[in-house]
Structure formats: C-alpha cells, structure tokens
Amino acid sequence: MKILYYLNRIKIHLYSLFIRIQNKSIGKGVLFQPPCMIQGMKDIKIGHRTAFEKDCRLSTWGNGSIIIGKECHFGERNFITSACRITIGDNLLTGNNVLISDNSHGDTSLKDISIPPIDRPLKCKGKVTIGNNVWIGANACLLSGITIGDGVIIGANSVVTHDIPSLSVACGVPARIIKTIEK
C-alpha cells in the first residue's frame, strides 16, 4: 500500500516538473495531479506551492491571461478559462467542480443565436479578480466582470454574477451576501 502511495507521489512530481519545464512562469512547488489540461501555457502564471487536483483545466484564448497567486489549492475538475484576464490572489481554496470564466460563447443578439454555439466568437464581459484568502465551495460558478474581495467565502452551488466585497459570505443563484464579517 505504501509503495503505491509513493509511486503516485513520484508520478505527480514528475508530471508537475514536466509542466514547469514548459512554462518558466510556474513557481516552485506547484503540483498538478494528472490528468490536468493546460491550454495557452505562455499566458498562464502560477505562484509557488499552488496545487491542482486531478482533471483540472486551465485555458486561455486570444489575448486571455490567467495569473494565480501562491499557496492556492484547486479541487478536482476545476475549470479556469480566460479570453481577457483572470487574476487570483494568494491562499485560494476551492471545492470540486468550480468554474471561473471571463468569457461566453456569443451574446443574446439575434445574429449570435442564429449561429451554433460552438461556432460563436468568444465574448468577454470583463475581467475576473479574486482577492487573498478566499474560499469557494463546490460547484460554484464565477462569471465575467466580477471582483471578489479578500477573505470572502462563496457557498457551494453559487453563481457569482456581481462583485462581492471583502469579508463577506455569499451564496445562492445569483449569489447574494448573507453575512458580513466584522473586523
């Protein structure tokens, strides 16, 4: 049993080393549990000691960029996709199945909805900024044009469509503030 554990750890470290060799903007101690998919490697920067559980996906399109701080931990099956800019601070923790996106396939114009969604041009409604020490629950969706302050908690299954100020707890669809943490 211990042998399998250590073999798996070696596999994770070799996989992560292979990714870090391809992109010098990925900090030391960053771990990717395979399989992870990274598209647009040159437009992604990741701080030291950040970890991605299995089946995570990071992708940039066109002028998109993703900047992730240090000591973050992303749960399984997280998807971060950028056509503009996504900036994540230090010490982020996410549950499984979290989506962070600054783009969508087209908009609601008659011109766009007459095109199959896969063929629609990606539209960016604004960058996504997430502060330090943020906790995002499982199955949450963070959509374009939002800023999440420091120390925020986003409840599981929430859809964030607008800014959430620092030291707040937000949940629901769409997410709304249910508690403000006093200093």
Side-chain angles (χ1 to χ4, degrees), residues 161-181:
T161 59
H162 58 276
D163 294 351
I164 306 293
S166 294
L167 302 174
S168 298
V169 178
C171 63
V173 180
R176 63 179 180 82
I177 298 168
I178 60 167
K179 182 177 182 179
T180 301
I181 301 162

Side-chain angles (χ1 to χ4, degrees), residues 39-114:
Q39 183 174 4
M41 183 82 74
K42 67 180 178 46
D43 300 311
I44 297 172
K45 295 178 183 172
I46 301 172
H48 300 306
R49 294 180 304 281
T50 289
F52 296 86
E53 296 291 332
K54 66 181 179 178
D55 297 319
C56 284
R57 182 174 172 187
L58 287 80
S59 60
T60 62
W61 308 94
N63 294 322
S65 67
I66 298 171
I67 301 168
I68 298 172
K70 64 183 182 196
E71 298 184 15
C72 296
H73 187 100
F74 295 87
E76 293 181 6
R77 295 174 304 279
N78 277 215
F79 182 23
I80 305 171
T81 175
S82 175
C84 298
R85 184 181 188 100
I86 294 175
T87 306
I88 297 171
D90 299 335
N91 305 306
L92 174 79
L93 173 65
T94 75
N96 296 336
N97 304 311
V98 170
L99 168 69
I100 302 172
S101 176
D102 67 7
N103 60 80
S104 61
H105 288 269
D107 55 30
T108 56
S109 69
L110 185 57
K111 177 185 172 198
D112 275 3
I113 62 172
S114 64

